[in-house]
Amino acid sequence: MQVVHSPLHARHDGGVELHRGELVPMYESPDRIDHILRAVQAAGMPVIEPREFGFEVLHAVHDPAFVEFLRTAYPRWQAEGRGGSMLPSGFPARSLRRDRVPEGINGMMGYYAFDAGTPIVAGTWDAAFAAARCALTAAALVSEGARAAYALCRPPGHHAARSVYGGYCYLNNAALAAQALRDAGCARVAVLDIDYHHGNGTQDIFWWREDVFFASLHGTPETEYPYFLGFADERGAGEGEGRTLNLPLPRGTQWPAYEGALDVALRAIDTFGADALVVSLGVDTFEGDPISSFALDASHFVAIGERMAALRLPTVLVQEGGYAVEEIGANVGAVLAAFA
C-alpha cells in the first residue's frame, strides 16, 4: 500500500486551544505524524509526496468564499500587527444573524469557525492544503487501479463542513477523496468514519447526496464532541434520505459493542452497493487516548482492518484523529497491515 505524506504538515505548529476552560498546547501536534511515518516505513510501505493541484479543486466540496478565508486569514491577521494563534471570540449562535459575513478578520473568524479549539497559525494553510493534496493523490492512485492507498493527512479533516472549520480540521480530506473518486467514474462511494468523534463535516457535505453513503461510529453527542450532530435519527435529506447512518456509542464502549456497530455499518455499505470506499481513519478509540473515552486495544485495530478489507472495495484510507502519541504509530500500522 502506498502512503502519501507531505512534510508541510509540520508548518501547522505552535497553536493553543481552549480545552475545558483552559488555554493549552494543541493535542493535535506534529509528532503524531512522526510516529505514524516511522511505523509505515518500518513496515516497508512506500512513502510518496502528494501531486500538485490548484486550490480551486477544493471548491468541489467547500464554498469558494470559505476557501478564500482560509487562504488569506493569517496574512490579514498579520496585517493588523498580530501574531501567534488566531482563535475566535464570538459565534453567530441562536438569535444572532447568520446571513452576513463580517468584513473584519475577528468577526469573519467567528463566522467560519464552530469552536475555539482550532487555531490558525502562520503555516496552517500550507499544511491544510498539503493534507488535502495527500487525500486527492491517494484517491487518484486508487482510481488508477491501486487496491488501496493511505493518505497520511495532517491536519485532519472530517469536522470541516462546506463552509465551517473546527475540531482541528480546516479542509475535509475524506470528502475531497470521495468526490475525486466520483469524478473519476465511481458511481457510488461510501465513507466510513471510525474516528471517536462524529464526522459532522462529512455528513454536512453529503447530506443531500444520493451517490455518497456516510456511516459513522462515534462517541454519543449527548456527552461527546462535537455535541450537536451525530444522533441516530440523522439520516440525510432529499435525495440523500437514508444515505447517512449514525451509530453513536456511550463513553466506555468496549470491543463487543463496537464490533457490533462496525458490522452494522459494513453491512449497510455492502447493501448500498458502493464502487469504492473512503475510510476516515481515527484511532482515538484507543483506551489510552487523552481526549476520548472508548476502550479498544491494539488487537482490535487489527480486527478493524480485517473487517474493512473484507468488503473488497478499492479503498482510500485518510488519517484523522488519535492523540495517544506514543501508541498512534502502532495503532495505525495495525489497521493498515491487517487491511493489506
Side-chain angles (χ1 to χ4, degrees):
M1 183 187 303
Q2 283 193 304
V3 176
V4 189
H5 162 71
S6 171
L8 293 179
H9 83 89
R11 294 188 181 181
H12 179 58
D13 189 18
V16 295
E17 62 175 290
L18 185 62
H19 179 71
R20 297 173 184 169
E22 295 183 286
L23 274 178
V24 299
M26 288 183 68
Y27 284 96
E28 200 291 290
S29 59
D31 54 343
R32 298 171 59 246
I33 300 309
D34 298 336
H35 283 269
I36 298 173
L37 189 60
R38 284 194 291 269
V40 298
Q41 289 173 328
M45 297 181 188
V47 179
I48 63 171
E49 291 203 14
R51 301 176 186 179
E52 292 299 321
F53 295 87
F55 71 83
E56 294 83 2
V57 71
L58 305 174
H59 300 166
V61 302
H62 289 295
D63 179 72
F66 172 66
V67 173
E68 186 64 11
F69 162 76
L70 291 176
R71 281 200 330 117
T72 61
Y74 205 80
R76 291 187 61 183
W77 181 257
Q78 289 178 310
E80 296 188 0
R82 305 180 186 186
S85 298
M86 292 177 62
L87 289 174
S89 56
F91 305 92
R94 289 181 300 277
S95 82
L96 301 179
R97 290 185 65 171
R98 303 183 189 188
D99 62 327
R100 295 287 297 271
V101 182
E103 293 183 1
I105 190 61
N106 290 288
M108 189 176 289
M109 187 182 1
Y111 180 85
Y112 284 119
F114 71 86
D115 68 18
T118 309
I120 295 175
V121 297
T124 297
W125 169 255
D126 289 341
F129 187 36
R133 291 189 290 112
C134 287
L136 290 165
T137 301
L141 292 170
V142 169
S143 67
E144 291 162 3
R147 172 177 176 258
Y150 169 55
L152 180 45
C153 295
R154 180 182 175 272
H158 71 149
H159 292 305
R162 179 163 177 78
S163 58
V164 180
Y165 73 97
Y168 307 145
C169 303
Y170 306 89
L171 298 169
N172 196 309
N173 307 311
L176 286 161
Q179 185 61 52
L181 290 169
R182 280 287 294 112
D183 293 341
C186 292
R188 291 187 167 197
V189 176
V191 180
L192 174 63
D193 193 322
I194 58 171
D195 189 276
Y196 178 80
H197 304 94
H198 178 247
N200 59 288
T202 313
Q203 176 172 301
D204 170 78
I205 288 167
F206 296 120
W207 183 250
W208 300 91
R209 297 271 295 269
E210 186 276 338
D211 56 336
V212 178
F213 184 86
F214 173 68
S216 178
L217 290 72
H218 51 270
T220 175
E222 295 286 2
T223 58
E224 306 307 297
Y225 185 93
Y227 307 115
F228 306 110
L229 278 181
F231 295 92
D233 63 353
E234 297 161 18
R235 293 180 46 79
E239 292 184 357
E241 175 69 34
R243 298 300 194 229
T244 293
L245 173 64
N246 283 307
L247 298 163
L249 297 164
R251 294 174 65 89
T253 290
Q254 297 181 348
W255 175 247
Y258 189 91
E259 179 184 31
L262 179 61
D263 286 344
V264 170
L266 294 174
R267 286 196 299 270
I269 290 169
D270 186 54
T271 300
F272 172 66
D275 300 306
L277 176 67
V278 175
V279 177
S280 273
L281 177 56
V283 293
D284 43 1
T285 50
F286 177 61
E287 59 190 353
D289 195 273
I291 60 172
S292 306
S293 300
F294 284 174
L296 305 191
D297 63 34
S299 67
H300 300 139
F301 293 110
V302 175
I304 289 169
E306 291 172 344
R307 280 167 166 74
M308 294 191 303
L311 287 174
R312 299 188 179 279
L313 290 173
T315 302
V316 178
L317 299 107
V318 178
Q319 188 60 48
E320 302 286 2
Y323 308 100
V325 175
E326 295 300 321
E327 295 86 1
I328 190 172
N331 291 337
V332 170
V335 176
L336 298 179
F339 187 95

